[in-house]
Amino acid sequence: MKPIRPPIAPVPRRHAKRGTDTDLLALCDTVRAARTAAGMTQAELALVCGVSRDTVIAFENGRSGVSLGSALRVMRGLGLTLSPAVRR
C-alpha cells in the first residue's frame, strides 16, 4: 500500500502577485485587455516587444520593478500610448 502524503499547502505563485497602486492596476488591466483582444499570448507579446515574458507578466500584474522603457515598449507593441494628465 502507498504511504499517505499530507496535503500540500497551496503556495501562491510569485508571478501571480498583484501590485497595490490603483492607477497602475487600471493601466495594467487596459494592457491585458488589449493583449487578449489582439489574440496574443504573453509570450507572443514579449517577443514582439523585445522584452521577457516575465516583464509582461509583472507589468500586467502591476508589480513594481518594471522599467518605464519596458512598459512603453509593451504598450507600443499593442498600439497603445501613454499621455500624462493633471490629476484633479
Coordinates of all heavy atoms in Angstrom, one line a residue:
M1 N 0.8 -1.2 0.0 CA 0.0 0.0 0.0 C 0.9 1.2 0.0 O 1.9 1.3 0.7 CB -0.9 0.0 1.2 CG -1.8 1.1 1.2 SD -3.4 1.1 2.1 CE -3.1 0.4 3.7
K2 N 0.5 2.3 -0.7 CA 1.2 3.5 -0.8 C 1.1 4.3 0.5 O 0.0 4.3 1.1 CB 0.7 4.4 -2.0 CG 1.1 3.9 -3.3 CD 0.6 4.8 -4.4 CE 0.9 4.3 -5.8 NZ 0.5 5.3 -6.8
P3 N 2.2 5.0 0.9 CA 2.1 5.8 2.1 C 1.2 7.0 1.8 O 1.2 7.5 0.6 CB 3.5 6.2 2.4 CG 4.3 6.0 1.1 CD 3.5 4.9 0.3
I4 N 0.5 7.5 2.8 CA -0.4 8.6 2.6 C 0.4 9.9 2.8 O 1.1 10.1 3.8 CB -1.6 8.6 3.6 CG1 -2.4 7.3 3.3 CG2 -2.4 9.8 3.5 CD1 -3.5 7.1 4.4
R5 N 0.4 10.8 1.8 CA 1.1 12.1 1.9 C 0.2 13.1 2.5 O -1.0 13.2 2.3 CB 1.4 12.6 0.5 CG 2.5 11.8 -0.2 CD 2.8 12.5 -1.4 NE 3.7 11.7 -2.3 CZ 4.1 12.0 -3.5 NH1 3.7 13.2 -4.0 NH2 4.9 11.3 -4.2
P6 N 0.8 14.0 3.4 CA 0.0 15.1 3.9 C -0.4 16.0 2.8 O 0.4 16.2 1.8 CB 0.9 15.7 5.0 CG 2.3 15.3 4.6 CD 2.1 14.0 3.9
P7 N -1.5 16.7 2.9 CA -1.9 17.7 1.9 C -0.8 18.8 1.8 O -0.3 19.2 2.8 CB -3.2 18.2 2.3 CG -3.4 17.8 3.7 CD -2.5 16.6 4.0
I8 N -0.5 19.2 0.6 CA 0.4 20.3 0.4 C -0.3 21.6 0.4 O -1.3 21.8 -0.3 CB 1.1 20.1 -1.0 CG1 1.9 18.8 -1.0 CG2 2.1 21.3 -1.3 CD1 2.6 18.4 -2.3
A9 N 0.2 22.5 1.2 CA -0.5 23.8 1.3 C -0.2 24.6 0.0 O 0.9 24.6 -0.5 CB 0.1 24.6 2.5
P10 N -1.3 25.2 -0.5 CA -1.1 26.0 -1.7 C -0.2 27.2 -1.5 O -0.4 27.9 -0.5 CB -2.5 26.4 -2.1 CG -3.3 26.3 -0.9 CD -2.6 25.3 0.0
V11 N 0.8 27.3 -2.3 CA 1.7 28.4 -2.2 C 1.4 29.3 -3.4 O 1.5 28.9 -4.6 CB 3.2 27.9 -2.3 CG1 4.2 29.1 -2.3 CG2 3.5 27.0 -1.2
P12 N 1.2 30.6 -3.2 CA 0.9 31.5 -4.3 C 2.1 31.6 -5.2 O 3.2 31.7 -4.7 CB 0.5 32.8 -3.7 CG 0.9 32.7 -2.2 CD 1.1 31.3 -1.9
R13 N 1.8 31.6 -6.5 CA 2.9 31.7 -7.5 C 3.4 33.1 -7.4 O 2.7 34.1 -7.3 CB 2.4 31.3 -8.8 CG 2.0 29.9 -8.9 CD 1.4 29.6 -10.3 NE 0.2 30.3 -10.4 CZ -0.6 30.3 -11.5 NH1 -0.2 29.6 -12.5 NH2 -1.7 31.0 -11.5
R14 N 4.8 33.3 -7.5 CA 5.4 34.6 -7.4 C 4.8 35.5 -8.5 O 4.5 36.7 -8.3 CB 6.9 34.5 -7.5 CG 7.6 35.7 -7.2 CD 9.1 35.7 -7.5 NE 9.3 36.5 -8.6 CZ 9.9 36.1 -9.8 NH1 10.4 34.9 -9.9 NH2 10.0 36.9 -10.8
H15 N 4.7 35.0 -9.7 CA 4.3 35.9 -10.8 C 2.8 36.3 -10.7 O 2.4 37.1 -11.4 CB 4.6 35.3 -12.2 CG 3.8 34.1 -12.5 ND1 4.2 32.8 -12.1 CD2 2.6 33.9 -13.1 CE1 3.3 31.9 -12.6 NE2 2.4 32.6 -13.1
A16 N 2.0 35.6 -9.9 CA 0.6 35.9 -9.8 C 0.3 37.0 -8.8 O -0.8 37.5 -8.7 CB -0.1 34.6 -9.4
K17 N 1.3 37.5 -8.0 CA 1.1 38.5 -7.1 C 0.8 39.8 -7.8 O 1.5 40.2 -8.8 CB 2.3 38.7 -6.1 CG 2.5 37.5 -5.2 CD 3.7 37.7 -4.3 CE 3.9 36.4 -3.5 NZ 5.1 36.5 -2.7
R18 N -0.2 40.6 -7.3 CA -0.5 41.9 -7.9 C 0.0 43.0 -7.1 O 0.0 42.9 -5.9 CB -2.0 42.0 -8.1 CG -2.5 41.1 -9.3 CD -3.9 41.2 -9.6 NE -4.5 42.4 -10.0 CZ -4.5 42.9 -11.2 NH1 -4.0 42.3 -12.2 NH2 -5.1 44.1 -11.4
G19 N 0.2 44.1 -7.7 CA 0.6 45.3 -7.0 C -0.6 45.9 -6.3 O -1.7 45.4 -6.4
T20 N -0.3 47.1 -5.7 CA -1.4 47.7 -4.9 C -1.8 49.1 -5.4 O -2.8 49.6 -4.9 CB -1.0 47.8 -3.4 OG1 0.2 48.5 -3.3 CG2 -0.8 46.4 -2.8
D21 N -1.0 49.7 -6.3 CA -1.3 51.0 -6.8 C -2.5 51.0 -7.7 O -2.4 50.3 -8.8 CB -0.1 51.6 -7.5 CG -0.3 53.0 -7.9 OD1 -1.2 53.3 -8.8 OD2 0.4 53.9 -7.4
T22 N -3.6 51.6 -7.4 CA -4.8 51.5 -8.2 C -4.7 52.1 -9.6 O -5.3 51.6 -10.5 CB -6.0 52.2 -7.4 OG1 -5.7 53.6 -7.1 CG2 -6.4 51.4 -6.2
D23 N -3.9 53.2 -9.7 CA -3.7 53.8 -11.0 C -2.9 52.9 -11.9 O -3.3 52.7 -13.1 CB -3.0 55.2 -10.9 CG -3.9 56.2 -10.3 OD1 -5.1 56.2 -10.4 OD2 -3.3 57.1 -9.6
L24 N -1.9 52.3 -11.4 CA -1.1 51.3 -12.1 C -1.9 50.1 -12.5 O -1.8 49.6 -13.6 CB 0.2 51.0 -11.4 CG 1.1 50.0 -12.0 CD1 1.6 50.5 -13.4 CD2 2.3 49.7 -11.1
L25 N -2.7 49.6 -11.6 CA -3.5 48.4 -11.9 C -4.5 48.7 -13.0 O -4.8 47.9 -13.8 CB -4.2 48.0 -10.6 CG -3.3 47.3 -9.6 CD1 -4.1 47.0 -8.3 CD2 -2.7 46.0 -10.2
A26 N -5.1 50.0 -13.0 CA -6.0 50.3 -14.1 C -5.3 50.3 -15.4 O -5.8 49.8 -16.4 CB -6.6 51.7 -13.8
L27 N -4.1 50.9 -15.5 CA -3.3 50.8 -16.7 C -3.0 49.4 -17.1 O -3.1 49.0 -18.3 CB -2.0 51.6 -16.5 CG -1.0 51.6 -17.6 CD1 -1.5 52.2 -18.9 CD2 0.3 52.2 -17.2
C28 N -2.6 48.6 -16.2 CA -2.2 47.2 -16.5 C -3.4 46.4 -16.9 O -3.3 45.5 -17.8 CB -1.6 46.6 -15.3 SG -0.1 47.5 -14.8
D29 N -4.6 46.6 -16.4 CA -5.8 45.9 -16.8 C -6.1 46.3 -18.3 O -6.6 45.5 -19.1 CB -7.0 46.3 -15.9 CG -6.8 45.6 -14.6 OD1 -6.0 44.6 -14.4 OD2 -7.5 46.0 -13.6
T30 N -5.9 47.6 -18.6 CA -6.1 48.0 -20.0 C -5.1 47.3 -21.0 O -5.5 46.9 -22.1 CB -5.9 49.6 -20.1 OG1 -6.8 50.2 -19.3 CG2 -6.1 50.1 -21.6
V31 N -3.9 47.2 -20.5 CA -2.9 46.5 -21.3 C -3.3 45.0 -21.5 O -3.2 44.5 -22.6 CB -1.5 46.6 -20.7 CG1 -0.5 45.7 -21.4 CG2 -1.0 48.0 -20.8
R32 N -3.7 44.4 -20.4 CA -4.1 42.9 -20.5 C -5.3 42.8 -21.5 O -5.3 41.9 -22.3 CB -4.4 42.4 -19.2 CG -4.9 41.0 -19.2 CD -5.2 40.4 -17.9 NE -4.0 40.0 -17.2 CZ -3.6 40.4 -16.0 NH1 -4.4 41.3 -15.3 NH2 -2.5 40.0 -15.5
A33 N -6.3 43.7 -21.4 CA -7.4 43.6 -22.2 C -7.1 43.8 -23.7 O -7.6 43.1 -24.6 CB -8.5 44.7 -21.8
A34 N -6.1 44.8 -24.0 CA -5.7 45.0 -25.3 C -5.0 43.7 -25.9 O -5.1 43.4 -27.0 CB -4.8 46.2 -25.4
R35 N -4.2 43.1 -25.0 CA -3.4 41.9 -25.5 C -4.4 40.8 -25.8 O -4.3 40.1 -26.8 CB -2.5 41.5 -24.4 CG -1.7 40.2 -24.8 CD -0.8 39.7 -23.7 NE -1.4 39.4 -22.4 CZ -2.1 38.3 -22.1 NH1 -2.3 37.4 -23.0 NH2 -2.7 38.2 -20.9
T36 N -5.4 40.5 -24.9 CA -6.3 39.5 -25.2 C -7.2 39.8 -26.3 O -7.6 38.9 -27.1 CB -7.1 39.1 -23.9 OG1 -7.8 40.3 -23.5 CG2 -6.2 38.6 -22.8
A37 N -7.6 41.0 -26.5 CA -8.4 41.4 -27.7 C -7.6 41.2 -29.0 O -8.2 40.9 -30.0 CB -8.8 42.9 -27.6
A38 N -6.3 41.4 -28.9 CA -5.5 41.1 -30.1 C -5.2 39.7 -30.3 O -4.6 39.3 -31.3 CB -4.1 41.9 -29.9
G39 N -5.6 38.8 -29.4 CA -5.5 37.4 -29.5 C -4.0 36.9 -29.3 O -3.6 35.9 -29.9
M40 N -3.3 37.7 -28.5 CA -1.9 37.4 -28.3 C -1.7 36.8 -26.9 O -2.4 37.1 -25.9 CB -1.0 38.7 -28.3 CG -1.0 39.3 -29.7 SD -0.1 40.9 -29.6 CE 1.6 40.3 -29.7
T41 N -0.7 35.9 -26.8 CA -0.3 35.3 -25.5 C 0.8 36.3 -24.9 O 1.3 37.2 -25.6 CB 0.3 33.9 -25.7 OG1 1.6 34.1 -26.4 CG2 -0.6 33.0 -26.3
Q42 N 1.1 36.1 -23.7 CA 2.1 36.9 -23.1 C 3.4 36.7 -23.7 O 4.2 37.6 -23.9 CB 2.2 36.6 -21.6 CG 1.0 37.1 -20.8 CD 1.0 36.6 -19.4 OE1 1.5 35.5 -19.1 NE2 0.3 37.4 -18.5
A43 N 3.7 35.4 -24.1 CA 5.0 35.1 -24.8 C 5.1 35.8 -26.1 O 6.1 36.3 -26.5 CB 5.1 33.6 -24.9
E44 N 4.0 35.8 -26.9 CA 4.0 36.4 -28.2 C 4.2 37.9 -28.1 O 5.0 38.5 -28.8 CB 2.7 36.2 -28.9 CG 2.5 34.7 -29.4 CD 1.1 34.4 -29.8 OE1 0.1 35.1 -29.5 OE2 0.9 33.4 -30.5
L45 N 3.5 38.6 -27.1 CA 3.7 40.0 -26.9 C 5.1 40.3 -26.5 O 5.7 41.3 -27.0 CB 2.7 40.5 -25.8 CG 2.8 42.0 -25.5 CD1 2.6 42.9 -26.7 CD2 1.8 42.3 -24.3
A46 N 5.7 39.5 -25.6 CA 7.1 39.7 -25.2 C 8.0 39.6 -26.4 O 8.9 40.5 -26.6 CB 7.5 38.7 -24.2
L47 N 7.8 38.7 -27.3 CA 8.6 38.5 -28.5 C 8.5 39.7 -29.4 O 9.5 40.2 -29.9 CB 8.2 37.2 -29.2 CG 9.1 36.8 -30.4 CD1 10.5 36.5 -29.9 CD2 8.5 35.6 -31.1
V48 N 7.3 40.2 -29.6 CA 7.1 41.4 -30.5 C 7.7 42.6 -29.9 O 8.3 43.4 -30.7 CB 5.6 41.6 -30.7 CG1 5.3 42.9 -31.3 CG2 5.0 40.5 -31.5
C49 N 7.7 42.8 -28.6 CA 8.2 44.0 -28.0 C 9.7 44.0 -27.6 O 10.2 45.0 -27.2 CB 7.4 44.3 -26.7 SG 5.6 44.5 -27.0
G50 N 10.3 42.8 -27.6 CA 11.7 42.7 -27.2 C 11.9 42.7 -25.7 O 12.9 43.2 -25.3
V51 N 10.9 42.2 -25.0 CA 11.1 42.1 -23.5 C 10.9 40.7 -23.1 O 10.4 39.9 -23.9 CB 10.1 43.1 -22.7 CG1 10.3 44.5 -23.1 CG2 8.7 42.7 -23.0
S52 N 11.1 40.3 -21.9 CA 10.9 39.0 -21.4 C 9.4 38.7 -21.1 O 8.7 39.7 -20.8 CB 11.8 38.6 -20.2 OG 11.3 39.3 -19.1
R53 N 9.0 37.5 -21.1 CA 7.7 37.2 -20.7 C 7.4 37.5 -19.2 O 6.4 38.0 -18.9 CB 7.4 35.7 -20.9 CG 6.0 35.3 -20.5 CD 5.7 33.8 -20.9 NE 4.4 33.5 -20.4 CZ 4.2 32.8 -19.2 NH1 5.2 32.4 -18.5 NH2 3.0 32.5 -18.8
D54 N 8.5 37.4 -18.4 CA 8.4 37.8 -17.0 C 8.1 39.3 -16.9 O 7.3 39.7 -16.0 CB 9.6 37.4 -16.2 CG 9.8 35.9 -16.0 OD1 8.7 35.2 -16.1 OD2 10.9 35.5 -15.7
T55 N 8.6 40.1 -17.8 CA 8.3 41.5 -17.7 C 6.9 41.8 -18.1 O 6.2 42.6 -17.4 CB 9.3 42.3 -18.7 OG1 10.6 42.1 -18.3 CG2 8.9 43.7 -18.8
V56 N 6.4 41.1 -19.1 CA 4.9 41.3 -19.4 C 4.1 40.8 -18.3 O 3.1 41.5 -17.9 CB 4.6 40.5 -20.7 CG1 3.1 40.5 -21.0 CG2 5.4 41.0 -21.9
I57 N 4.4 39.7 -17.6 CA 3.6 39.2 -16.5 C 3.6 40.2 -15.4 O 2.6 40.6 -14.8 CB 4.1 37.9 -16.0 CG1 3.8 36.8 -17.1 CG2 3.5 37.5 -14.7 CD1 4.5 35.5 -16.8
A58 N 4.8 40.7 -15.0 CA 5.0 41.7 -13.9 C 4.2 43.0 -14.3 O 3.5 43.5 -13.4 CB 6.4 42.0 -13.7
F59 N 4.3 43.4 -15.5 CA 3.6 44.7 -15.9 C 2.1 44.5 -15.8 O 1.3 45.3 -15.3 CB 4.0 45.1 -17.3 CG 3.4 46.4 -17.7 CD1 3.3 47.5 -16.9 CD2 3.0 46.6 -19.0 CE1 2.8 48.7 -17.3 CE2 2.5 47.8 -19.5 CZ 2.4 48.8 -18.6
E60 N 1.6 43.4 -16.3 CA 0.1 43.1 -16.3 C -0.4 42.9 -14.9 O -1.6 43.2 -14.6 CB -0.2 41.9 -17.1 CG -0.2 42.1 -18.6 CD -0.7 41.0 -19.4 OE1 -1.1 39.9 -18.9 OE2 -0.8 41.1 -20.7
N61 N 0.5 42.6 -14.0 CA 0.0 42.4 -12.6 C 0.3 43.6 -11.7 O 0.1 43.6 -10.5 CB 0.7 41.2 -11.9 CG 0.1 39.9 -12.4 OD1 -1.1 39.8 -12.6 ND2 0.9 38.9 -12.7
G62 N 0.8 44.7 -12.4 CA 1.0 46.0 -11.7 C 2.1 45.9 -10.6 O 2.0 46.7 -9.6
R63 N 3.1 45.1 -10.8 CA 4.1 45.0 -9.8 C 5.2 46.0 -10.1 O 5.5 46.3 -11.2 CB 4.8 43.6 -9.8 CG 3.8 42.5 -9.2 CD 4.5 41.3 -8.8 NE 5.6 40.8 -9.6 CZ 5.5 39.9 -10.5 NH1 4.4 39.2 -10.7 NH2 6.6 39.5 -11.2
S64 N 5.8 46.5 -9.0 CA 6.9 47.5 -9.2 C 8.1 46.8 -9.7 O 8.2 45.5 -9.6 CB 7.2 48.1 -7.8 OG 7.6 47.2 -6.9
G65 N 9.0 47.5 -10.3 CA 10.2 46.9 -10.8 C 10.3 46.9 -12.3 O 11.3 46.7 -12.9
V66 N 9.1 47.1 -13.0 CA 9.2 47.1 -14.5 C 9.6 48.6 -14.8 O 8.9 49.5 -14.4 CB 7.8 46.8 -15.0 CG1 7.8 46.9 -16.5 CG2 7.4 45.4 -14.6
S67 N 10.6 48.7 -15.7 CA 11.1 50.0 -16.0 C 10.0 50.7 -16.9 O 9.2 50.0 -17.6 CB 12.4 49.9 -16.8 OG 12.2 49.4 -18.0
L68 N 10.1 52.0 -16.9 CA 9.2 52.8 -17.8 C 9.4 52.4 -19.3 O 8.5 52.3 -20.0 CB 9.4 54.3 -17.5 CG 8.5 55.2 -18.4 CD1 7.0 54.9 -18.1 CD2 8.8 56.6 -18.0
G69 N 10.7 52.3 -19.6 CA 11.0 51.9 -21.0 C 10.4 50.6 -21.4 O 9.8 50.5 -22.5
S70 N 10.5 49.6 -20.6 CA 9.9 48.3 -20.9 C 8.4 48.4 -21.0 O 7.7 47.8 -21.9 CB 10.3 47.3 -19.8 OG 11.7 47.0 -19.9
A71 N 7.8 49.2 -20.0 CA 6.3 49.3 -20.1 C 5.9 50.0 -21.4 O 4.9 49.6 -22.0 CB 5.9 50.1 -18.9
L72 N 6.6 51.0 -21.8 CA 6.3 51.7 -23.0 C 6.5 50.8 -24.2 O 5.7 50.9 -25.2 CB 7.1 53.0 -23.2 CG 6.8 54.1 -22.2 CD1 7.8 55.3 -22.3 CD2 5.4 54.6 -22.4
R73 N 7.5 50.0 -24.2 CA 7.7 49.0 -25.4 C 6.5 48.1 -25.5 O 6.0 47.8 -26.6 CB 8.9 48.2 -25.2 CG 10.1 48.9 -25.8 CD 11.3 48.0 -25.7 NE 12.1 48.5 -24.5 CZ 13.0 47.8 -23.9 NH1 13.3 46.6 -24.3 NH2 13.6 48.3 -22.8
V74 N 6.0 47.6 -24.3 CA 4.9 46.7 -24.3 C 3.6 47.4 -24.8 O 2.9 46.9 -25.7 CB 4.6 46.1 -22.9 CG1 3.3 45.4 -22.8 CG2 5.8 45.2 -22.5
M75 N 3.4 48.6 -24.4 CA 2.3 49.4 -24.8 C 2.3 49.7 -26.3 O 1.3 49.6 -27.0 CB 2.1 50.7 -24.0 CG 1.8 50.4 -22.5 SD 1.7 51.9 -21.5 CE 0.3 52.7 -22.2
R76 N 3.5 50.1 -26.8 CA 3.7 50.4 -28.2 C 3.4 49.1 -29.0 O 2.8 49.2 -30.1 CB 5.1 50.9 -28.5 CG 5.2 52.4 -28.4 CD 6.5 52.8 -29.0 NE 7.1 53.7 -27.9 CZ 8.2 53.4 -27.3 NH1 8.9 52.4 -27.5 NH2 8.6 54.3 -26.3
G77 N 3.8 48.0 -28.5 CA 3.5 46.7 -29.2 C 2.1 46.4 -29.4 O 1.7 45.7 -30.3
L78 N 1.3 47.0 -28.5 CA -0.2 46.8 -28.6 C -0.9 48.0 -29.3 O -2.1 48.0 -29.4 CB -0.8 46.6 -27.2 CG -0.4 45.3 -26.5 CD1 -0.7 45.3 -25.0 CD2 -1.0 44.1 -27.2
G79 N -0.1 49.0 -29.7 CA -0.7 50.2 -30.3 C -1.3 51.1 -29.3 O -2.2 52.0 -29.7
L80 N -0.9 51.1 -28.1 CA -1.3 52.0 -27.0 C -0.3 53.1 -26.8 O 0.9 52.9 -27.0 CB -1.5 51.2 -25.7 CG -2.5 50.0 -25.7 CD1 -2.4 49.3 -24.4 CD2 -3.9 50.5 -26.0
T81 N -0.8 54.2 -26.3 CA 0.1 55.4 -26.0 C -0.2 55.8 -24.5 O -1.2 55.4 -24.0 CB -0.2 56.6 -26.9 OG1 -1.5 57.0 -26.7 CG2 0.1 56.3 -28.3
L82 N 0.7 56.5 -24.0 CA 0.6 57.0 -22.6 C 0.6 58.5 -22.6 O 1.6 59.1 -23.1 CB 1.7 56.4 -21.7 CG 1.7 56.8 -20.3 CD1 0.4 56.2 -19.6 CD2 2.9 56.2 -19.6
S83 N -0.4 59.1 -22.1 CA -0.4 60.6 -22.1 C -0.6 61.1 -20.7 O -1.5 60.7 -20.0 CB -1.6 61.1 -23.0 OG -1.6 60.6 -24.3
P84 N 0.4 61.9 -20.3 CA 0.3 62.5 -18.9 C -0.9 63.4 -18.8 O -1.2 64.1 -19.7 CB 1.6 63.2 -18.7 CG 2.2 63.4 -20.0 CD 1.6 62.4 -20.9
A85 N -1.5 63.4 -17.6 CA -2.7 64.3 -17.4 C -2.6 64.8 -15.9 O -2.1 64.1 -15.0 CB -4.0 63.6 -17.6
V86 N -3.1 66.0 -15.7 CA -3.1 66.5 -14.3 C -4.2 65.8 -13.6 O -5.4 65.7 -14.0 CB -3.3 68.0 -14.4 CG1 -3.4 68.6 -12.9 CG2 -2.2 68.7 -15.1
R87 N -3.9 65.4 -12.4 CA -5.0 64.7 -11.5 C -5.8 65.8 -10.9 O -5.3 66.8 -10.4 CB -4.3 63.9 -10.5 CG -5.3 63.1 -9.6 CD -4.7 62.3 -8.6 NE -3.9 61.2 -9.2 CZ -3.9 60.0 -8.8 NH1 -4.5 59.7 -7.7 NH2 -3.2 59.1 -9.4
R88 N -7.1 65.6 -10.8 CA -8.0 66.6 -10.2 C -8.6 66.0 -9.0 O -8.8 64.9 -8.8 CB -9.0 67.0 -11.2 CG -8.4 67.8 -12.3 CD -9.4 68.2 -13.3 NE -8.7 68.8 -14.5 CZ -9.2 69.4 -15.4 NH1 -10.5 69.6 -15.5 NH2 -8.5 69.9 -16.4

